[in-house]
Amino acid sequence: MVPSSNITMETELPELFRRQSVATGHRYTFHSARATLKSVTKEELLAMVDKAADCAVAVSDADVDVIAYACLVAVMAQGPNAHVGSEEIIREAAAGNGMPADVTSSAGALVRTLEAIGARNVAMVAPYMKPLTKMVGEYIEGAGFTVVDATSLEVSDNLAVGCLDPRNLPAIARDLRHSEADALILSACVQMPSLAAVQAVEDELGLPVITAATATTFEILQALGHQPAISNAGLLLEGSLVATPAATR
């Protein structure tokens, strides 16, 4: 489930699962439902949240195994720990449609993945205007972490966020106070492209690097019972940071 203006999750996630397929032989299909969002403002984000149940019903018609709610800031804009309630709404909607599925969200996946890798202090890159970046930082801190530094790129148009060049991310990450961090959130947004930079930044800084997209992918694989085996996307998806159950599907 993605915002209507999202052009990144439907490119980064299929690429990640393609790499997983090459490594493991597992076959994955990818389906999406869209909810209207053009500008990343709190008002539009909250309006998008109201469409979550309808989107869950629509995508569950495809008899999917896992539903991922891929708009991190829309969930976080609802207040502390909002991913729990959002995921439950989606779970209930799919089950009520007669098509139950496991559910994750990019917001929930991000904080749970930080917990899973043992991170306590994080540095973060976000594309949002400063007030929204501050809100995301407060949400992460409300989940028990410390945001030691954050960079806000101040792009409000969601299509423009999707056109940001990931080749700029290594320099941006370099300027963060990363020496105080246990992990780096290279993209606290499912729309900001980052996959092309994850491995390079992790190699250079010597820190675990996660993004909203890689954390979401990690939780989808966990729900499927598949051990991550994805190349060139950081230690998390290589399978070196967190053990996951043996394949069950």
Side-chain angles (χ1 to χ4, degrees):
M1 294 165 46
V2 295
S4 58
S5 53
N6 189 287
I7 56 175
T8 302
M9 285 298 270
E10 292 160 311
T11 56
E12 290 196 347
L13 261 67
E15 171 58 21
L16 289 168
F17 282 103
R18 183 196 67 78
R19 297 181 197 179
Q20 177 80 5
S21 293
V22 169
T24 67
H26 289 126
R27 178 177 176 269
Y28 304 93
T29 63
F30 186 87
H31 314 278
S32 61
R34 312 181 78 80
T36 300
L37 178 80
K38 293 183 179 179
S39 296
V40 190
T41 64
K42 190 167 185 177
E43 293 73 23
E44 284 202 35
L45 291 167
L46 292 174
M48 178 188 157
V49 166
D50 292 338
K51 303 179 180 70
D54 288 343
C55 285
V57 169
V59 77
S60 72
D61 281 343
D63 193 19
V64 297
D65 295 304
V66 187
I67 298 175
Y69 186 20
C71 188
L72 178 143
V73 72
V75 173
M76 291 187 176
Q78 299 173 73
N81 215 37
H83 60 274
V84 176
S86 291
E87 290 168 3
E88 186 57 29
I89 288 169
I90 292 165
R91 190 176 294 109
E92 289 178 354
N97 191 38
M99 295 289 189
D102 287 314
V103 174
T104 185
S105 66
S106 51
L110 185 67
V111 296
R112 287 188 294 258
T113 299
L114 290 174
E115 182 70 34
I117 68 175
R120 301 266 40 106
N121 302 313
V122 300
M124 176 178 75
V125 181
Y128 316 118
M129 305 302 287
K130 288 180 179 178
L132 279 180
T133 299
K134 181 174 183 290
M135 182 200 69
V136 170
E138 289 172 347
Y139 191 98
I140 292 169
E141 292 197 325
F145 308 95
T146 299
V147 179
V148 298
D149 199 11
T151 291
S152 180
L153 302 183
E154 298 197 84
V155 181
S156 62
D157 180 86
N158 207 39
L159 276 176
V161 171
C163 294
L164 292 170
D165 191 342
R167 291 175 297 183
N168 295 329
L169 286 172
I172 294 169
R174 202 174 296 131
D175 287 340
L176 290 167
R177 295 199 306 273
H178 51 79
S179 63
E180 302 174 29
D182 305 316
L184 175 65
I185 302 169
L186 191 60
S187 176
C189 174
V190 294
Q191 173 73 326
M192 186 170 81
S194 57
L195 179 56
V198 169
Q199 192 68 56
V201 172
E202 190 169 89
D203 291 345
E204 178 181 343
L205 301 185
L207 283 173
V209 172
I210 66 172
T211 72
T214 62
T216 302
T217 299
F218 177 70
E219 284 217 335
I220 293 171
L221 289 171
Q222 281 191 313
L224 295 172
H226 293 179
Q227 177 70 23
I230 297 171
S231 63
N232 200 32
L235 291 173
L236 175 71
L237 292 184
E238 181 184 281
S240 302
L241 285 180
V242 183
T244 57
T248 59
R249 295 174 188 267

